[in-house]
Amino acid sequence: MGVFPTRLKAERSSRTSVFVTLLLSYLVVLLIPVIVFGGLYTRIESIMVENANNANMALIEQAKQVVDGRLDEMHLISRNTSSHPKLDTLLKSGTLQTAEERYDYLSFMKELERYRNSSSFITDFYVYLRKSDTVVSPGFKTNSSILFSEIYGYPNLTYKQFQDDILHGVHFNRFLPVTEVGKGLNKKRMLTYLQTLPFGEKSTPKGALVILIEERQIMGLLEEIVKANHGTIYIKDAEGQVLLSAGERSELANGASASESGMMTVSTTSARNGWEYVSLVPENVFMAKVIMVKRMAVGVLALCLAAGIIVCAYMTYRAYHPLRDIIRFIRQSHPTKGGNIRNEYEFIKSTMADSFGKQVEMEEQLFRQTPAIRANFLLRLLKGHVDTDDISQQSLSFMGITFPHSSFAVALIELRDASGFIHHDCEREWALIRFVTGKVAEEMPGYAAYAVELEKNEVAIILNVPEECGKGVELYEWAEQVKRVIEQRFRTVTTI
């Protein structure tokens, strides 16, 4: 009974391996043009990405040139102011001023106003004179305290910090990031430029030039570029500090990962001031044409692959047809001695025939070992060494064991006096009485019972009992019947 399923399994395994081998051979041939197509497409994609990068780089270069051009106006005002003839006199003057010094202040303010009118890029600027604690701009003259509290204060700084970091610090073409500057309705987001006076002083500055540029002045220069690529542009100074950003995803300028946010990055650095202009463009915009071509290519490739696989399967089936006849022959043949292998088909026939014979022999050996396997299993089950998760119904059926219920009981039978059954106290007769005792218990109606020999005069009975047998009355009745049969029919005194 076990030979025929095994033959089917072996036949199926052989048939599958041969079929897959043939199919893979055709698929390898199919993959050659696919690989060529993939390499060609990769090259085309890289060219399109390079073109998109170049276009984005051209936009960011345009932004750099425009901003650098307007910053040149600011630097011209800085140079003119720091080199003004009257500046050195004003830096040395004290709080008590003569009429001549007051005239110098007025003349200097008029020059500053002329500088400011020369560029619409500059919002305002002022000169701080440390010795006299005076602030001079094109429109006012005051001290640093009033300047901070009423005109150009920084909400994120205290007056002391304002003095130490901005007015008294050493600066050389330094920029502060865009932040709110001013008070009340005059509060605006400004980019701050700082320059120590006199120009080039590195230890004890006598003053400072502060230029304020409204954020919208630079944003207006970048707006068209941001709209063109639907991305974000931010500007960093030579130290890597982000000065300002423009676009919908400006949070990326503060350290967020562009790759994690689905953005493509290009950057360029200005040779004039060391500023780095970084452009972030969404991948769906940056790669729009590339994605469209990719989808078309993948669609065509998928269609060709599907058609190619169908053709490969059909050709494999046709090539497999002769082997199918050989498999039919193996199913119908009996095991025979293999002769010389003349070709592949004869080799398959002889191999399958030998395997069938060996399978039959193994099954016969296994059948002869079934009682020993069963006894070993029951002994391990009795000792609790069996993992119930590893027990299958198929393995139990193979050993002739069935457990219809989930509850178990164990009956221990002690053969106290077998002198009425055995005549010689030898192992053969004791084995016989143990076997008889186990068979009596197993064949006693009521429960599924299985005997396990423990000692010379002890036999354990594993009982599979129904759940409703809770009080054990039926078990005692069963034990009484077993005891009565053994003692009456086999004249052996027992204890259960």
Side-chain angles (χ1 to χ4, degrees), residues 3 139 249 348 492:
V3 176
R249 304 294 297 277
I348 294 175
T492 301

Side-chain angles (χ1 to χ4, degrees), residues 17-272:
S17 62
V18 174
F19 185 87
V20 170
T21 300
L22 291 174
L23 180 61
L24 289 177
S25 300
Y26 288 116
L27 288 178
V28 168
V29 177
L30 175 64
L31 286 177
I32 294 176
V34 172
I35 294 173
V36 174
F37 175 82
L40 180 62
Y41 167 75
T42 302
R43 179 56 183 163
I44 294 175
E45 182 182 16
S46 64
I47 293 175
M48 295 184 68
V49 171
E50 183 179 354
N51 290 339
N53 264 320
N54 292 338
N56 200 26
M57 180 59 74
L59 290 176
I60 199 68
E61 284 287 347
Q62 179 184 350
K64 181 189 72 173
Q65 293 175 7
V66 171
V67 175
D68 283 357
R70 299 309 302 268
L71 288 176
D72 285 344
E73 300 176 9
M74 181 207 70
H75 286 298
L76 179 60
I77 293 176
S78 175
R79 288 193 297 270
N80 290 337
T81 303
S82 60
S83 62
H84 194 278
K86 296 184 181 297
L87 178 62
D88 187 59
T89 302
L90 296 178
L91 289 172
K92 295 177 181 178
S93 65
T95 53
L96 298 177
Q97 300 169 358
T98 64
E100 183 179 357
E101 289 176 339
R102 287 196 293 272
Y103 176 77
D104 289 340
Y105 273 107
L106 181 62
S107 175
F108 186 64
M109 291 174 63
K110 289 182 179 180
E111 288 295 311
L112 295 183
E113 184 176 7
R114 184 171 64 86
Y115 295 158
R116 185 179 64 180
N117 293 337
S118 66
S119 173
S120 60
F121 185 65
I122 304 300
T123 302
D124 201 358
F125 69 101
Y126 56 87
V127 175
Y128 172 68
L129 309 173
R130 185 171 184 175
K131 185 174 183 180
S132 61
D133 190 33
T134 303
V135 177
V136 181
S137 82
F140 60 83
K141 174 176 174 288
T142 184
N143 57 41
S144 62
S145 176
I146 296 176
L147 174 72
F148 180 79
S149 61
E150 302 295 337
I151 306 175
Y152 290 136
Y154 291 78
N156 58 333
L157 298 177
T158 64
Y159 174 63
K160 183 68 168 56
Q161 292 173 330
F162 174 70
Q163 281 187 312
D164 294 341
D165 296 344
I166 296 180
L167 300 182
H168 298 167
V170 177
H171 314 294
F172 179 75
N173 286 337
R174 179 188 174 193
F175 287 89
L176 300 181
V178 169
T179 186
E180 290 185 346
V181 179
K183 297 292 181 179
L185 297 177
N186 294 325
K187 185 182 294 184
K188 298 178 182 178
R189 290 181 59 81
M190 302 274 199
L191 179 69
T192 305
Y193 168 81
L194 305 174
Q195 175 61 54
T196 296
L197 297 177
F199 189 85
E201 180 62 43
K202 296 181 179 180
S203 57
T204 55
K206 298 178 180 179
L209 170 64
V210 180
I211 299 178
L212 301 174
I213 303 172
E214 193 172 348
E215 182 185 36
R216 65 181 180 84
Q217 292 286 351
I218 301 178
M219 296 288 282
L221 302 177
L222 305 177
E223 185 177 2
E224 294 300 324
I225 299 175
V226 171
K227 288 182 179 179
N229 57 22
H230 305 282
T232 301
I233 294 178
Y234 63 91
I235 301 174
K236 299 190 295 184
D237 61 14
E239 286 73 33
Q241 179 179 228
V242 177
L243 299 178
L244 60 88
S245 60
E248 299 178 356
R249 304 294 297 277
S250 58
E251 70 274 5
L252 293 175
N254 298 321
S257 173
S259 59
E260 293 177 359
S261 304
M263 309 290 284
M264 303 294 292
T265 306
V266 294
S267 63
T268 183
T269 302
S270 172
R272 300 181 187 178

Side-chain angles (χ1 to χ4, degrees), residues 16 47 229 234-236 258 290 313 322 326 342 349 374 401 439 450 485 494:
T16 303
I47 293 175
N229 57 22
Y234 63 91
I235 301 174
K236 299 190 295 184
V290 177
I326 298 177
R342 295 189 298 270
K349 289 191 296 183
R374 170 176 163 167
I401 299 174
K439 282 299 180 182
Y450 303 95
V485 170
T494 62

